[in-house]
Amino acid sequence: RCVEAFYIYFRAERVEEPYVSITKKRQMPKDGYSEEIEKEVGQAEGKLRTHRSAFSRASVIQAFLGSAPQLTLQLYICILQQEVTVARCIFMVLSLLSIVYGALRCNILAIKIKYDDYDVRVKPTAYLCIFMWRSFEIATRVAVLVLFGSVLRIWVFLIVLLNFLGFFFYPWVLFWLSKSPFPENIEKELSRLGTTFVLCLLTFLYAGINMFCWSAAQVELSDPDLISKSQNWYRMTVYYIVRLMENAFLLLMWYIYRTDFYLYVCAPMLFLQLLIGYCMGIFFMLVFYQYCHPCKKLFSSSITEALLSCFKILYFICQHQKSTLLKSKVVMKSPENTDEAHDSGKTIDSQNRNIHQSASSNA
């Protein structure tokens, strides 16, 4: 495929193409207006776009199903052997760069699929924000999993299994709740069983990505393109809140059950550094979606507004729980108060009767 792509690229301008196709793309709206642009696309350029799209998908698959487990394993071996060699350090850096590149390609691919009708141009600042966002997010996530696994080896398998199965079955649960027909237009030559196998592979990759970072391409089996076109801020907000709490919990367990090997490591400082590193990844993510996203003019609402509304919902839920607790306490206390009032009423009645009887005897 790579050789074919190079061959098409070097012959693109030498041979005149008899057939061209016309594509229509809309520009990003300026002052509320957007123009539609027609562009001629030759066969060579169309084939190169197909190769580039296939290369992007292959880089995502290689990153999260190959480099991510490799990086986790290499870091775990370094901790067990208490030694970091130069060769292993180089391999870990290359694996991390491969994962970050795969996540970056996943972001760009998701943007182009969601906004296919527009002429999307990604600026260098956007690439820089995505690179910093994914670097902090993936590096801290791998470090947290390795530290937790170094002290609680059995429990880390349970954590990984629950995460993987949860993200694997999540698109299938949404598809079942939507009651949509089974997708039949993925490939004409595939049978129903083959289509199910392809969808399982897709959700497998989706679960592998979400194990280490937020998947920019959200799988939606009811959509013909199998990718969600809507920008769901609430799902992203819930993901990062839950992931931050999970990382904090895993680090806390590591801090409690750490072995003598970590006596020469400042555990509280490492704890804070990893949490701050993950928060830095969230910060660059917010900067990207708020200022550097190539299609931010098409957003119906910004991510900061979604965060504020989500925090308001959480605040109201907490207030509702407090009010219900107070009401339950009042209800629990009210029978005691009525009993005390009934007893006090009985004592007052008995005192009045005694006074009346003494007055009648004196008379």
Side-chain angles (χ1 to χ4, degrees):
R1 290 293 182 178
C2 293
V3 174
E4 183 183 359
F6 279 112
Y7 177 76
I8 295 172
Y9 177 76
F10 286 114
R11 284 177 56 88
E13 297 181 355
R14 296 180 181 179
V15 180
E16 185 178 356
E17 299 183 13
Y19 301 104
V20 294
S21 59
I22 299 175
T23 60
K24 295 181 180 180
K25 296 286 185 179
R26 286 188 292 175
Q27 287 183 340
M28 288 295 130
K30 296 179 180 179
D31 299 328
Y33 298 97
S34 60
E35 297 181 358
E36 192 174 53
I37 301 175
E38 293 184 356
K39 184 179 179 181
E40 293 183 354
V41 179
Q43 291 181 349
E45 186 177 355
K47 290 180 180 179
L48 287 175
R49 288 184 178 181
T50 304
H51 282 292
R52 184 173 60 183
S53 179
F55 178 75
S56 299
R57 289 170 171 82
S59 63
V60 174
I61 295 172
Q62 188 274 333
F64 290 98
L65 300 184
S67 297
Q70 180 69 19
L71 175 62
T72 307
L73 179 63
Q74 292 294 332
L75 185 58
Y76 183 74
I77 293 173
C78 290
I79 291 178
L80 290 184
Q81 294 184 352
Q82 302 181 11
E83 181 185 6
V84 182
T85 61
V86 177
R88 189 171 292 149
C89 184
I90 293 173
F91 281 121
M92 286 193 296
V93 171
L94 291 177
S95 297
L96 179 60
L97 291 177
S98 174
I99 304 169
V100 172
Y101 177 76
L104 188 147
R105 296 306 308 173
C106 184
N107 274 92
I108 304 302
L109 187 65
I111 291 172
K112 290 184 177 181
I113 292 175
K114 290 178 182 178
Y115 306 99
D116 186 51
D117 296 334
Y118 290 87
D119 185 18
V120 179
R121 295 181 180 179
V122 185
K123 296 181 180 179
T125 53
Y127 281 109
L128 180 61
C129 280
I130 297 174
F131 180 82
M132 299 301 294
W133 161 25
R134 295 306 192 179
S135 297
F136 279 107
E137 182 181 8
I138 294 169
T140 52
R141 177 62 177 171
V142 171
V144 168
L145 289 176
V146 169
L147 288 176
F148 179 78
S150 64
V151 295
L152 298 171
R153 299 178 184 177
I154 298 176
W155 288 99
V156 72
F157 291 104
L158 180 62
I159 297 295
V160 172
L161 186 63
L162 289 176
N163 273 271
F164 187 84
L165 291 179
F167 287 111
F168 179 81
F169 288 109
Y170 180 71
W172 292 100
V173 171
L174 292 180
F175 175 70
W176 178 71
L177 292 176
S178 65
K179 297 180 180 179
S180 301
F182 190 78
E184 301 287 351
N185 57 344
I186 296 177
E187 186 65 37
K188 295 180 180 179
E189 298 179 357
L190 291 177
S191 62
R192 193 179 184 89
L193 180 62
T195 303
T196 305
F197 181 72
V198 171
L199 294 178
C200 288
L201 290 179
L202 179 64
T203 50
F204 184 86
L205 176 61
Y206 175 75
I209 295 173
N210 280 281
M211 274 291 301
F212 296 94
C213 65
W214 165 258
S215 176
Q218 293 293 302
V219 176
E220 188 173 350
L221 300 179
S222 59
D223 191 272
D225 294 329
L226 303 177
I227 299 296
S228 177
K229 302 295 181 63
S230 61
Q231 189 68 48
N232 197 328
W233 300 120
Y234 296 103
R235 188 184 300 178
M236 181 185 292
T237 305
V238 171
Y239 174 87
Y240 276 103
I241 291 175
V242 173
R243 184 65 80 199
L244 182 61
M245 294 173 62
E246 182 192 2
N247 287 342
F249 174 75
L250 295 180
L251 285 174
L252 182 62
M253 292 297 102
W254 165 77
Y255 183 79
I256 294 173
Y257 294 100
R258 67 187 187 277
T259 58
D260 295 336
F261 168 71
Y262 296 102
L263 290 177
Y264 300 100
V265 177
C266 186
M269 184 61 68
L270 183 59
F271 185 98
L272 290 176
Q273 285 177 349
L274 290 175
L275 285 183
I276 292 173
Y278 196 80
C279 292
M280 287 296 295
I282 297 175
F283 170 75
F284 281 106
M285 182 264 295
L286 294 175
V287 172
F288 169 71
Y289 279 106
Q290 188 70 25
Y291 301 106
C292 301
H293 197 283
C295 305
K296 63 179 183 294
K297 295 180 180 180
L298 303 175
F299 292 164
S300 58
S301 62
S302 63
I303 190 170
T304 53
E305 294 175 356
L307 285 173
L308 290 175
S309 60
C310 188
F311 286 132
K312 287 180 182 178
I313 292 171
L314 293 175
Y315 175 76
F316 284 127
I317 291 173
C318 294
Q319 290 296 324
H320 180 69
Q321 289 179 352
K322 288 181 180 179
S323 62
T324 52
L325 288 174
L326 290 174
K327 287 180 181 179
S328 62
K329 289 181 180 179
V330 170
V331 170
M332 291 296 291
K333 289 181 179 179
S334 59
E336 298 176 357
N337 295 333
T338 54
D339 292 338
E340 291 177 358
H342 186 65
D343 294 336
S344 62
K346 286 182 177 180
T347 55
I348 292 170
D349 291 337
S350 61
Q351 289 176 1
N352 291 332
R353 288 176 184 176
N354 292 331
I355 293 171
H356 182 69
Q357 288 176 359
S358 62
S360 61
S361 62
N362 290 330

